[in-house]
Amino acid sequence: QVQLAESGGGSVQAGGSLRLSCAASGRTFSSYAMGWFRQAPGKEREFAAAITWNERTTYYADSVKGRFTISRDNAKNTVYLQMSNLKPEDTAIYYCVARRDLYSLSYTWEHYDSWGQGTQVTVSS
């Protein structure tokens, strides 16, 4: 497993942008597929985005497609979530996740091996 630490959350007005970062411990970061989930107040946790180790494959939830971009820097052991054109419904705690698999991505929380503590994103109208 890797240890994950998210940063970059905060408050922004609708239409604004934020970039989340997730730093991973360990020397095997490039062996992991990475992803982001989110949980809004009173709602179930949901998948947001995922990326393979070599960035060749990405998955996005329909609700964020075209507005969010996931990327990674294996030299820095970091995965990013660039969020643009933010909407109030994007308000949630955002969690970074890791899966010890080079090529297989998943939309399911339980299919990941490591999870971060989360970072709050608040979008006001």
Side-chain angles (χ1 to χ4, degrees), residues 11-82:
S11 297
V12 64
Q13 289 192 328
S17 300
L18 281 175
R19 188 177 80 158
L20 305 183
S21 299
C22 172
S25 66
R27 295 178 289 179
T28 59
F29 178 74
S30 60
S31 299
Y32 286 79
M34 302 296 296
W36 291 91
F37 283 72
R38 66 184 185 179
Q39 187 165 20
K43 295 188 176 181
E44 292 187 355
R45 188 169 44 227
E46 64 176 7
F47 170 83
I51 189 169
T52 52
W53 75 278
N54 57 3
E55 300 189 274
R56 289 186 180 179
T57 302
T58 55
Y59 285 0
Y60 293 97
D62 288 342
S63 58
V64 308
K65 199 172 295 183
R67 300 187 299 118
F68 290 12
T69 301
I70 188 170
S71 62
R72 64 190 293 164
D73 185 336
N74 288 339
K76 296 183 178 179
N77 281 13
T78 301
V79 63
Y80 305 98
L81 187 67
Q82 177 67 49

Side-chain angles (χ1 to χ4, degrees), residues 1 9 14-15 26 30 40 42 58 61-62 70-71 79 90 95 105 114 117 125:
Q1 289 187 340
S30 60
T58 55
D62 288 342
I70 188 170
S71 62
V79 63
D90 294 318
Y95 298 92
L105 301 178
S114 302
Q117 295 297 309
S125 57

